[in-house]
């Protein structure tokens, strides 16, 4: 039988594997499934061929038995023998990520809710992933349907003509002709990548095609692949992370946790942040035991639940005030102790912007996002949507609010004028200048940029020579005015939208699908897909 060819070590893994990240384990199992499937197919084919040769030589094989003997094992049967034990063993305890679970289950060619029916997945229970778009009844799925399916995000599909390229293949980047429309001038700014083109579509109201509200377009924002979200996590979760040195209480940690996790106030994060949460069932020494991975989520579970519960209960104004107060407390602590805070100056330049984004997300959505980052920061710090778009509307009229007047900062007219002049001066220059000072984010290797081209800003950390990250002691730092959700004596509501952009050559990564699954529950998250136009055929087919 094919099940006898499966080594026990593939399913029963000891405690030593806890030193490998959950994402790395999932990728390793996927590679093992592929290799073992090829081995089993070759072995089954060799056995069948050997039996046919022996039977023909002995002249004892009838035509009916010949068909029976030559029947090869089904590929789906071989994959099931390998995949199902792994899913039952490791998905329930969280030893592999939910993204890896879906990748393995995809090989079974049946709906995900049917494959995982009856299994209590640790990660799904903690983070709330959905297995399908139909949440009414998973048991009524057609068992004879040989097709994989799971939850699918909302997708905005449009057509765009890309520039001719010799990389027009899977994984190749598409470029599009770009321009900036103005009342008096039309400024050519070179080619646009697919993310920049999508931002133009949402700003002008070409997308989304089906919109519920009366207000169309007006979306502006960033191509940062989650940078602003990670900044809000760092700012609001500083006390839980143990990096709030002004309020930190070492007595809140058990045993020697404080001494081993927080060694210096100059470290960027606690040392247990990159340890994913899991409940591992190990069999070392012949005895079964449950090993709890000592990551930040399991180590400080009660504090995290209490913090996220309070965050989820806050309204938009309260969340905005929380961002302001968190940055202000760090500024006061830095002034009083003369300590340096490398990220503080960058936060001071965008206090009102971050406050607006927090109000647009809301407490529930931020709580859901932060729980994923606490659960496994090493895995969920990447894969966030490409674009973070925002707009503000008057509650009564529904008209767009001028963010330059209300927020200022990078939305101000002065900053935009400097940006436009910089674009004109770079027409004959090297276009790579646009990416100076932008760090690579995620695992995709793509460079981070945004609509406001803030790679070289006065006073920003990234713009300083030699990577200096020390606050300028000669400059007087102060907090801007607190953001109020009102403008021109009218109440204002902020809307945020997360967009993952794909061209005709791209497809969603499993982590990107998981993030869209989470973000869609409490906010607006979608996919923007650009496709090639269908050219009419000049030749007619004959009958």
């Amino acid at each position: 039988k094919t099940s006898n060819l499966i080594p026990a070590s593939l399913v029963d893994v000891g405690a030593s594997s806890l030193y490998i990240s959950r994402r790395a384990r999932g990728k390793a199992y996927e590679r093992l499934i592929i290799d073992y499937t090829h081995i089993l197919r070759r072995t089954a084919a060799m056995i069948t061929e050997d039996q046919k040769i022996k039977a023909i030589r002995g002249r004892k094989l009838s035509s009916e038995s010949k068909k029976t003997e030559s029947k090869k094992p089904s590929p789906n049967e071989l994959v099931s023998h390998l995949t199902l034990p792994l899913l039952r063993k490791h998905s329930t305890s969280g030893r592999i990520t939910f993204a890896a679970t879906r990748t393995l289950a995809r090989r079974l060619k049946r709906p995900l809710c049917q494959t995982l029916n009856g299994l209590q997945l640790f990660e799904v229970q903690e983070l709330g992933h959905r297995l399908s778009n139909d949440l009414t009844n998973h048991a009524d799925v057609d068992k004879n349907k040989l097709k994989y399916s799971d939850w699918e995000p909302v997708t905005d599909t449009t057509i765009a003509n890309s520039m001719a390229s010799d990389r027009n293949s899977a994984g190749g980047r598409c470029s599009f002709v770009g321009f900036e429309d103005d009342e008096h001038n039309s400024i050519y700014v070179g080619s646009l990548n697919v993310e920049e083109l999508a931002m133009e579509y949402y700003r002008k109201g070409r997308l989304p095609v089906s919109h519920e509200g009366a207000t169309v377009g007006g979306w502006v924002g960033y191509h940062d692949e989650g940078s602003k979200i990670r900044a809000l996590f760092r700012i609001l979760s500083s006390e839980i992370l143990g990096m709030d040195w002004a309020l930190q209480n070492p007595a809140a940690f058990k045993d020697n946790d404080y001494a081993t996790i927080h060694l210096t106030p100059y470290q960027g994060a606690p040392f247990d942040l990159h340890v994913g949460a899991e409940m591992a069932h190990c069999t070392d020494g012949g005895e079964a035991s449950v090993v709890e991975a000592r990551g930040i989520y399991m180590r400080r579970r009660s504090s995290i639940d209490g913090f996220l519960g309070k965050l989820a209960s806050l309204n938009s104004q309260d969340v905005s005030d929380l961002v302001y107060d968190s940055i202000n407390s760090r500024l006061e602590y830095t002034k009083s102790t003369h300590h340096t805070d490398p990220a503080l100056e960058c936060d001071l330049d965008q206090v009102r912007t971050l406050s607006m984004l927090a109000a647009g997300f809301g407490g529930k959505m931020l709580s859901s996002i932060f729980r994923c980052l606490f659960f496994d920061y090493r895995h969920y710090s990447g894969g966030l949507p490409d674009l973070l778009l925002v707009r503000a509307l008057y509650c009564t009229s529904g008209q767009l609010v001028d963010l330059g007047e209300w927020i200022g900062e990078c939305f101000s007219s002065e900053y935009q004028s400097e940006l436009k002049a910089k674009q004109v001066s770079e027409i004959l220059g090297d276009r790579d200048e646009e990416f100076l000072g932008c760090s690579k984010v995620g695992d995709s290797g793509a460079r981070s940029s945004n609509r406001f081209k803030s790679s070289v800003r006065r006073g920003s950390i990234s713009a300083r020579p030699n990577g200096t990250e020390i606050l300028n002691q000669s400059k007087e730092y102060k907090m801007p005015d607190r953001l109020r959700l009102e403008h021109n004596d009218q109440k204002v509501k902020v809307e945020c939208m997360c967009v993952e952009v794909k061209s005709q050559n791209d497809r969603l990564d499993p982590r990107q699908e998981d993030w869209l699954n989470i973000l869609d529950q409490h906010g607006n998250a979608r996919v923007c897909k650009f496709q090639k136009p269908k050219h009419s055929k000049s030749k007619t087919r004959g009958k």
Side-chain angles (χ1 to χ4, degrees), residues 149 209 300 318 386 529:
S149 63
V209 177
R300 277 165 269 186
D318 292 337
D386 294 319
K529 182 74 173 181

Side-chain angles (χ1 to χ4, degrees), residues 394-405:
Y394 291 110
C395 295
T396 54
S397 62
Q399 295 181 350
L400 292 170
V401 178
D402 189 338
L403 297 181
E405 295 180 0

